[in-house]
Amino acid sequence: MKYKLTACLFFISITLAAQDSIKWANHVIENMPLGRGLDINYSRIFKSNLVAESKVSRLTNNEVQTENFDNLEFDLKFPIYVGERTQVIGSGEYTYDRIQFRNNATNNYELFEILNKKELRSRKLKFYVTHSLNRENFLKFRTSIELNGDVADTEQSFTEFAKYSLTAAYGWQKSAKNAYAVGLYMNYALGRSTIYPVFEWNKTWNNTWGFESKLPAQFKVRYTPTKNLRVYAGYGVDGLSYRLVAPSDETNILEEFEIRKSDLKFTLNIERRLYDFIWIATEGGLNYNIRFEVADNDKLYNNETIIDGQLGTAPYLKFSLFLVPNESLKSLFGYNQ
């Protein structure tokens, strides 16, 4: 009995030691940059043309020239739980969008009058969860809730303005330089709530080249000539869903409505380290509008599209300042992993 107990304890200790030596699977691969901690972005879509085509008899068609479409975004990620196999990260995000028409001309069109210089504010709370099942497989989840709209300008409950998104994926890390996952996305990247399959694939070819993708929504080729410089080229889909309240009670057509916008961006992005954990980035490219529609939020037309718009293709620029949570930044805040 004594020998059996000794053998059993020896077997358990060997098993635990082997388990501790396992390199758990993850979607992060070699030469793939660390995630951003604090991220501040400003982008502008330049002069374009906005066409509004009415889908109901009470509205008319119209067209206007845009001067710019600005976006300002703040995103702060914070660790909730960081374990050997499981990581839970939270994120608070605030975005500000604003469209301005050329010479402030709105052509006496109600939609353009409401949108001109309108401050479109969104607040978002996100959670990221990754869990390693073994040395090859992992799970990824992301969920978020956001308030997009004129919450303070209406008597309705804030839940009327809430948007939800969810991502779930099952992945394989085939090597230190190759990881992919399949799953489902439910979000507003296409302007309205949409569920679609996703294939995530991150791969590093060598110390200089690799790519990161979330197909079909995003694909970027990565070029890293030095440890302080990265260059990306590719495309990405971006979306906006925002609920507005008319500034006066004189209308019964656009009393409360929702803007649904989605764009396809072809981009070139250059990221450079300023100092240790501080980076800056400049991004430029072409913005191609997929959707710019107005829905009436069940007021008159049962949530159907009442205006089908089209924003003309235009160049855009984006500037970013972000902090990377490397060991120096962790030490600065007294955090040791």
Side-chain angles (χ1 to χ4, degrees), residues 2 4 10 47 89 92 105 114 131 146 154 158 160 190 221 231 251 287 319:
K2 178 180 178 181
K4 290 183 179 180
F10 177 76
K47 296 178 181 180
I89 305 296
I114 295 174
H131 176 70
E146 53 189 296
T154 180
F158 76 92
E160 296 289 332
L190 296 178
V221 175
V231 180
T251 177
N287 186 88
F319 301 97

Side-chain angles (χ1 to χ4, degrees), residues 48-316:
S48 183
N49 192 49
L50 177 58
V51 178
E53 180 182 351
S54 173
K55 295 299 181 181
V56 295
S57 59
R58 300 180 67 184
L59 297 172
T60 60
N61 301 336
N62 214 311
E63 184 176 345
V64 71
Q65 297 291 314
T66 67
E67 187 67 30
N68 53 66
F69 201 124
D70 292 338
N71 171 268
L72 182 64
E73 178 182 301
F74 300 87
D75 188 3
L76 176 63
K77 293 184 175 64
F78 50 91
I80 297 176
Y81 174 78
V82 180
E84 185 180 9
R85 299 176 60 185
T86 305
Q87 296 84 41
V88 182
I89 305 296
S91 171
E93 182 180 306
Y94 174 84
T95 60
Y96 170 96
D97 291 274
R98 182 176 181 270
I99 186 171
Q100 180 176 339
F101 298 117
R102 192 172 303 176
N103 301 321
N104 292 319
T106 57
N107 298 339
N108 295 318
Y109 193 62
E110 186 176 4
L111 173 64
F112 299 155
E113 290 174 351
I114 295 174
L115 286 180
N116 189 36
K117 298 184 179 180
K118 175 66 177 177
E119 298 176 348
L120 308 179
R121 304 176 187 272
S122 302
R123 312 89 177 161
K124 183 183 295 185
L125 183 62
K126 298 180 287 186
F127 296 95
Y128 304 83
V129 180
T130 58
H131 176 70
S132 300
L133 297 173
N134 48 50
R135 69 178 66 214
E136 183 177 355
N137 303 106
F138 59 88
L139 296 172
K140 288 184 62 180
F141 301 95
R142 187 185 71 180
T143 183
S144 70
I145 177 172
E146 53 189 296
L147 295 177
N148 295 349
D150 299 336
V151 181
D153 298 331
T154 180
E155 297 179 355
Q156 295 187 20
S157 169
F158 76 92
T159 57
E160 296 289 332
F161 297 84
K163 307 290 184 183
Y164 306 92
S165 67
L166 177 65
T167 301
Y170 181 87
W172 295 261
Q173 184 174 18
K174 305 305 291 184
S175 70
K177 296 182 178 181
N178 187 23
Y180 53 86
V182 294
L184 291 175
Y185 272 24
M186 190 279 286
N187 59 26
Y188 291 82
L190 296 178
R192 62 176 66 188
S193 180
T194 307
I195 299 176
Y196 57 94
V198 64
F199 177 60
E200 296 189 25
W201 190 8
N202 300 322
K203 185 175 178 62
T204 293
W205 290 305
N206 51 48
N207 292 334
T208 305
W209 291 95
F211 66 82
E212 303 162 26
S213 65
K214 297 179 181 178
L215 301 171
Q218 176 182 291
F219 183 87
K220 300 184 297 181
V221 175
R222 182 183 69 249
Y223 172 60
T224 313
T226 72
K227 65 178 182 179
N228 297 321
L229 180 66
R230 291 191 294 264
V231 180
Y232 288 96
Y235 74 88
V237 176
D238 189 23
L240 168 70
S241 177
Y242 195 90
R243 188 168 182 175
L244 295 100
V245 179
S248 70
D249 297 329
E250 298 177 359
T251 177
N252 58 359
I253 299 177
L254 294 177
E255 181 178 339
E256 287 193 25
F257 61 99
E258 185 171 281
I259 295 290
R260 297 168 179 169
K261 174 178 174 286
S262 57
D263 300 301
L264 173 63
K265 289 181 168 66
F266 298 95
T267 69
L268 177 65
N269 183 25
I270 301 175
E271 299 178 356
R272 184 169 185 82
R273 188 199 306 264
L274 282 183
Y275 171 76
D276 199 11
F277 53 82
I278 304 175
W279 288 70
I280 58 171
T282 303
E283 180 179 305
L286 202 61
N287 186 88
Y288 175 77
N289 182 241
I290 302 173
R291 175 183 289 111
F292 194 106
E293 64 183 22
V294 178
D296 80 322
N297 285 326
D298 294 323
K299 296 300 178 183
L300 294 173
Y301 300 101
N302 299 319
N303 204 32
E304 295 180 357
T305 299
I306 56 177
I307 296 176
D308 189 4
Q310 182 66 50
L311 187 65
T313 302
Y316 88 97

